[in-house]
Amino acid sequence: QVQLVESGGGLVQPGGSLRLSCAASGRFFRINAMGWYRQAPGKWRELVATAGSDGTTNYADFVKGRFTISRDNAKNTVYLQMNSLKPEDTAVYYCNADVMSIARTVEGLWGQGTQVTVSS
């Protein structure tokens, strides 16, 4: 069974930085796109950034210039470097990955979520 395990959330002051990590474990053929989403209280889950297996990246407008997504394919890990954090970035951040199984079927998986709180 494939699992996504996130780490790196926490409490940070406005203007500060955090780095989130998400590692995939288990047996699979390969991982296609990986990404980060977030959900604030009372709001829908929204896309933050994605990274393709070929290195292509995509960002939501509200994080452009502040957040950077990267991945280490050898470690099956995706990172989200978050700089210049704002109180409105407070949310639970979820990792997502499109995982191709040994049988060559593709399934979208979610991590358990990690809380990011930006407050003074």
Side-chain angles (χ1 to χ4, degrees), residues 7-13 17-20 82 85 89-91 93 114-119:
S7 60
L11 173 65
V12 64
Q13 292 186 343
S17 299
L18 281 175
R19 189 190 192 211
L20 306 182
M82 304 185 293
L85 282 161
D89 294 319
T90 296
Y93 284 70
T114 184
Q115 177 70 47
V116 172
T117 303
V118 185
S119 175

Side-chain angles (χ1 to χ4, degrees), residues 6-76:
E6 300 145 344
S7 60
L11 173 65
V12 64
Q13 292 186 343
S17 299
L18 281 175
R19 189 190 192 211
L20 306 182
S21 300
C22 171
S25 63
R27 295 184 71 242
F28 50 86
F29 179 67
R30 72 165 181 239
I31 299 177
N32 296 331
M34 300 185 82
W36 291 94
Y37 292 70
R38 70 185 188 187
Q39 188 167 16
K43 295 188 176 181
W44 295 102
R45 189 173 298 188
E46 59 185 358
L47 171 72
V48 176
T50 61
S53 57
D54 60 355
T56 57
T57 58
N58 178 53
Y59 294 92
D61 287 343
F62 53 78
V63 302
K64 285 182 179 177
R66 300 189 299 125
F67 292 9
T68 302
I69 189 170
S70 61
R71 57 189 286 178
D72 184 334
N73 292 330
K75 295 181 178 180
N76 299 311

Side-chain angles (χ1 to χ4, degrees), residues 72-88:
D72 184 334
N73 292 330
K75 295 181 178 180
N76 299 311
T77 300
V78 64
Y79 306 95
L80 186 68
Q81 177 66 44
M82 304 185 293
N83 299 327
S84 302
L85 282 161
K86 305 175 182 180
E88 51 264 44

